[in-house]
Amino acid sequence: MSVQSHSSDRAPEPVGAYPHAKRAGDFLYLSGVGPRSRGSSDIPGVTLDAEGQVIAVDIEAQCRSCFENVRAVLEDAGAQWNDLVDVLVFLVDMERDFETYNRVYAEFFAGEGNPNPTRTTIEINCLPTPIAVEVKAVAWVGGRG
């Protein structure tokens, strides 16, 4: 089986030593994707105080940015949005954020013309940057070079 790493020029830079995605056989595995913007330390939907502490969270803006970043990684690796087969989402505050996240998720993933992948959503106590959501996904790209 061949394995190939992929990086996106449109998605935010990784915060560690890992590629945006790795194709193994017929599957494309995406590393965790947050809402940051490429080339910037700005995080859509996060307001920080002077000490860098989070004082406000707009989970809708963060989710939308995450999903657009996932789309960029997929496309730059030669895949398409409808190739998604599994999505794992990490939320830092399930009680506060799940309802909004679930609504935005449905816009991107459920219904006519969307991939409707399997999904798992879990709450974790923190992420490596001051974000409230991160998305990890798998796409089936069988038959594509």
Side-chain angles (χ1 to χ4, degrees):
M1 171 177 59
S2 67
V3 177
Q4 181 180 10
S5 293
H6 295 274
S7 292
S8 171
D9 291 334
R10 298 182 294 149
E13 297 84 348
V15 296
Y18 56 86
H20 284 116
K22 190 164 283 229
R23 181 175 176 164
D26 289 341
F27 291 92
L28 182 69
Y29 298 89
L30 276 63
S31 295
V33 178
R36 286 183 303 109
S37 300
R38 178 86 182 175
S40 171
S41 60
D42 292 341
I43 304 169
V46 174
T47 305
L48 304 174
D49 65 15
E51 288 78 42
Q53 299 299 309
V54 176
I55 57 173
V57 172
D58 179 345
I59 193 65
E60 180 168 347
Q62 286 194 47
C63 289
R64 290 183 186 286
S65 185
C66 280
F67 299 150
E68 290 304 328
N69 287 339
V70 166
R71 186 184 307 271
V73 172
L74 286 168
E75 291 173 354
D76 290 353
Q80 300 172 5
W81 188 249
N82 283 337
D83 294 332
L84 286 168
V85 294
D86 186 59
V87 174
L88 171 60
V89 175
F90 303 95
L91 296 175
V92 297
D93 191 330
M94 189 76 72
E95 185 176 339
R96 177 192 69 195
D97 297 336
F98 184 79
E99 183 178 337
T100 301
Y101 147 74
N102 202 39
R103 178 178 47 78
V104 175
Y105 182 97
E107 290 176 29
F108 281 81
F109 294 97
E112 187 83 26
N114 288 322
N116 197 24
T118 60
R119 178 182 99 173
T120 303
T121 306
I122 60 173
E123 181 181 59
I124 59 173
N125 66 355
C126 68
L127 287 160
T129 61
I131 60 177
V133 60
E134 184 174 279
V135 179
K136 180 159 179 42
V138 178
W140 184 78
V141 291
R144 294 205 177 118

